[in-house]
Amino acid sequence: MGATSHDEFRDFVAARRPTLLRAALLLTADRTEAEDLLQAALAKTYLAWDRIKDRTALDGYVRRAMVNINISWWRRRRLEEYPTDEMPDTPVADHTDRSELRDVLERLLDRLPARQRAYIRLRYYDDLTEAEIAHALGVSVGTVKSTVSRAMAKLREDADEEFAALD
């Protein structure tokens, strides 16, 4: 791999890492495993970098690599786990609190007007900057900032009400 290819790969990783890490997190549901998965997929991408002609398809290439690697890891783990009659000494982690919080957040997002919901998802789920959102939607950065600000205020207000109802 030449110096320019190496620089292109480094720039790609720097720009797309947060988004790709979120995709890996959706596949694994564990931050550490997601980081390992992304690293393995990027290593495969690095090895194939000069063979990838369509640079617009890089995200898809890395995502496909993550899916394939995750399936391989899952199969390997599945073969290494054996049932037992004895209970483990350490308690098993309870992840229901995270899923309940996610459900609450989804309900809160669903209450927002479509435009505000879209801006919040672009800003916090897709990790786009305000300038990137403005460019993508053809609006000013000020419009993005004010819309996100109003949406966050509404989410905070609704969240306070939601959690007060739970108590």
Side-chain angles (χ1 to χ4, degrees):
M1 179 180 277
T4 57
S5 293
H6 179 74
D7 292 339
E8 284 178 7
F9 180 77
R10 188 186 67 232
D11 293 344
F12 167 74
V13 171
R16 301 302 298 157
R17 185 182 182 285
T19 302
L20 294 170
L21 182 58
R22 272 192 307 285
L25 191 54
L26 290 172
L27 288 170
T28 63
D30 179 74
R31 176 110 181 147
T32 305
E33 285 185 32
E35 289 172 351
D36 290 345
L37 179 62
L38 178 58
Q39 189 67 30
L42 289 173
K44 285 188 177 281
T45 304
Y46 181 80
L47 293 173
W49 188 259
D50 289 331
R51 293 190 315 266
I52 302 172
K53 301 299 179 210
D54 184 6
R55 295 294 195 222
T56 61
L58 287 171
D59 270 15
Y61 185 93
V62 175
R63 289 172 196 265
R64 183 78 250 174
M66 285 192 297
V67 168
N68 292 342
I69 293 167
N70 194 47
I71 289 170
S72 296
W73 287 355
W74 177 78
R75 286 179 179 156
R76 197 171 304 131
R77 264 192 314 267
R78 203 173 107 200
L79 294 175
E80 293 171 358
E81 294 175 3
Y82 301 100
T84 180
D85 291 332
E86 297 176 26
M87 293 296 290
D89 291 336
T90 58
V92 177
D94 181 13
H95 299 290
T96 56
D97 59 336
R98 281 194 291 183
S99 64
E100 288 172 13
L101 284 174
R102 185 177 183 90
D103 290 344
V104 169
L105 180 59
E106 288 299 322
R107 279 197 308 271
L108 293 173
L109 285 171
D110 287 343
R111 291 183 197 167
L112 290 176
R115 179 177 150 175
Q116 288 182 352
R117 186 171 50 246
Y119 280 54
I120 290 293
R121 289 191 185 272
L122 289 170
R123 181 69 181 104
Y124 297 106
Y125 281 63
D126 293 341
D127 201 29
L128 296 180
T129 65
E130 290 153 344
E132 290 170 331
I133 296 169
H135 178 73
L137 299 178
V139 297
S140 71
V141 174
T143 299
V144 173
K145 287 181 178 184
S146 63
T147 303
V148 169
S149 176
R150 281 192 302 276
M152 289 301 293
K154 176 77 170 131
L155 284 173
R156 282 186 200 99
E157 179 184 317
D158 289 353
D160 288 343
E161 292 172 13
E162 185 83 27
F163 290 119
L166 292 176
D167 291 337

